[in-house]
Amino acid sequence: MTALEQYARLEAPGIWRAAPDAQRQDVVVALGEASLTITDMQDRALAHWSLAAVARANPGEMPALYHPDGDPGEELELGEIASDMIEAIERVRRAVARRRPRAGRLRLTGGLAVAAAIAAAAALWLPGALRDHALRVLPPAKRAEVSEALMADIRALGGRPCHTPEGDAALAALAARVLGPDAAGRLVVLREGPVATASLPDGRILLDRALVEDPAEPDVPAGFVLAEAARQGDEDPLARLLRAGGLPASLRVLTTGRLPPDLLRRHAERLLTAPPTPVPDATLLAAFEAAELSARPYAYARDVTGETVLGLIEADAVAAHPTRPALSDADWLRLQGICEE
């Protein structure tokens, strides 16, 4: 987009609607290197449009009406006051049009060769680049919306999450002890839960009820929570979802903030059935040491013989020193009863 360097940091007011039946609202449109960012008057991102895929519904007329190519239901209106923005968008559209193949065998052959090269490069680079861009720009509110949509499918598959007033308080205490004082609400116990633990895109950690009902001590679920938090550090949970959806999912979440229901349903099934991906022992040991928890209860819960988790057992730097308990005895009893209602 070097032709648009003169428009760096260009912003303009506009009117935007997400769908034909949606309410129109005043917005601010910002021109980026490869996209238009549409935010509300409180600077919250509403949509991201690829500059190369912006279509105009009324060429030559004012106010200018734009929409994402292939989705005329979403609309952006720019008036005379946004003339610089309109000029910049039209320059991009003309540049895109000039690059389209023209008639003629030689030109067609060359165009096909270029298209093949671009397609090959796009197949290798574009999905990952768009996914990384989506992970950077998607606001927490949109992550929360995606997570709530996943939770709706999870409830349909595995039942509602476990709740009792006393159990919820104990679960909040466990989250604060393991993940920090601001972690209230990050842990969810499911009646028909995942294989041990799983993560939602907003950072919430799902636990199977067996993790709080079966162990003899709270250090076991605390260890599984620590391991899942470390797993989130290795890979953003939203990245796994977008990777499963491929390029269309990344494009859709960038332009609309939403994901296809069938993709969410399949991902919810995977969260409940797929075993957690392994976390390196060095990463786990560092997390346990930082949390002042012994790794041994977690290790023996994974393998009662200790053979496959010997690295965690032998290198546990905390086991020889007194540590703060994961929960008090009273809170542990309350947590074990969280699914009784």
Side-chain angles (χ1 to χ4, degrees):
M1 291 299 174
T2 55
L4 295 180
E5 290 177 356
Q6 69 186 83
Y7 297 107
R9 305 181 63 84
L10 179 62
E11 294 184 348
I15 301 174
W16 174 82
R17 70 177 187 193
D21 57 348
Q23 183 177 354
R24 287 154 54 90
Q25 58 182 303
D26 293 330
V27 295
V28 175
V29 184
L31 182 69
E33 291 184 357
S35 65
L36 287 178
T37 300
I38 300 172
T39 59
D40 64 15
M41 307 313 288
Q42 285 75 47
D43 200 35
R44 294 175 298 200
L46 299 173
H48 293 267
W49 293 4
S50 170
L51 278 173
V54 174
R56 185 166 181 175
N58 61 341
E61 299 178 11
M62 292 296 291
L65 301 178
Y66 293 101
H67 61 82
D69 192 16
D71 185 14
E74 185 178 2
E75 185 180 89
L76 173 65
E77 177 180 319
L78 298 175
E80 294 287 349
I81 194 173
S83 58
D84 286 344
M85 178 67 72
I86 294 172
E87 180 184 350
I89 295 172
E90 292 303 317
R91 288 187 62 181
V92 172
R93 296 180 67 247
R94 288 194 296 269
V96 171
R98 284 196 300 268
R99 291 186 176 94
R100 289 175 180 150
R102 299 293 193 272
R105 180 173 298 180
L106 182 60
R107 184 170 295 176
L108 178 60
T109 302
L112 290 174
V114 171
I118 292 174
L124 295 174
W125 171 82
L126 188 58
L130 277 177
R131 182 174 61 248
D132 292 344
H133 180 61
L135 296 175
R136 287 194 302 269
V137 304
L138 203 67
K142 288 298 181 182
R143 285 177 174 264
E145 287 181 17
V146 172
S147 298
E148 284 305 316
L150 280 171
M151 278 302 301
D153 287 323
I154 288 170
R155 291 188 192 96
L157 292 167
R160 60 184 176 86
C162 297
H163 287 294
T164 65
E166 298 82 3
D168 289 347
L171 192 63
L174 180 65
R177 169 65 179 88
V178 178
L179 303 176
D182 299 325
R186 280 192 62 187
L187 302 184
V188 180
V189 178
L190 297 177
R191 298 177 187 278
E192 299 293 336
V195 180
T197 59
S199 289
L200 296 178
D202 63 359
R204 278 181 287 176
I205 294 174
L206 310 178
L207 295 84
D208 179 45
R209 65 186 298 179
L211 278 181
V212 299
E213 291 180 341
D214 296 346
E217 57 181 315
D219 284 23
V220 173
F224 279 89
V225 169
L226 263 183
E228 188 62 32
R231 198 170 287 114
Q232 290 180 3
D234 284 344
E235 182 179 35
D236 189 327
L238 181 59
R240 293 184 64 193
L241 174 55
L242 294 181
R243 183 178 293 108
L247 182 60
S250 297
L251 283 171
R252 183 161 179 178
V253 81
L254 279 171
T255 56
T256 70
R258 296 184 293 272
L259 287 170
D262 59 333
L263 172 62
L264 293 172
R265 186 168 52 255
R266 291 196 305 270
H267 192 68
E269 293 172 354
R270 280 194 295 271
L271 290 178
L272 294 179
T273 58
T277 56
V279 179
D281 284 356
T283 301
L284 288 174
L285 289 167
F288 276 98
E289 186 172 3
E292 299 180 13
L293 285 171
S294 172
R296 293 187 179 183
Y298 163 76
Y300 282 116
R302 282 178 46 188
D303 181 357
V304 68
T305 69
E307 293 179 1
T308 62
V309 289
L310 197 59
L312 292 175
I313 296 170
E314 292 183 343
D316 185 2
V318 182
H321 307 287
T323 61
R324 293 183 295 129
L327 280 177
S328 67
D329 291 342
D331 276 341
W332 177 228
L333 289 174
R334 296 185 185 103
L335 181 57
Q336 289 189 298
I338 194 171
C339 292
E340 290 182 355
E341 288 190 357

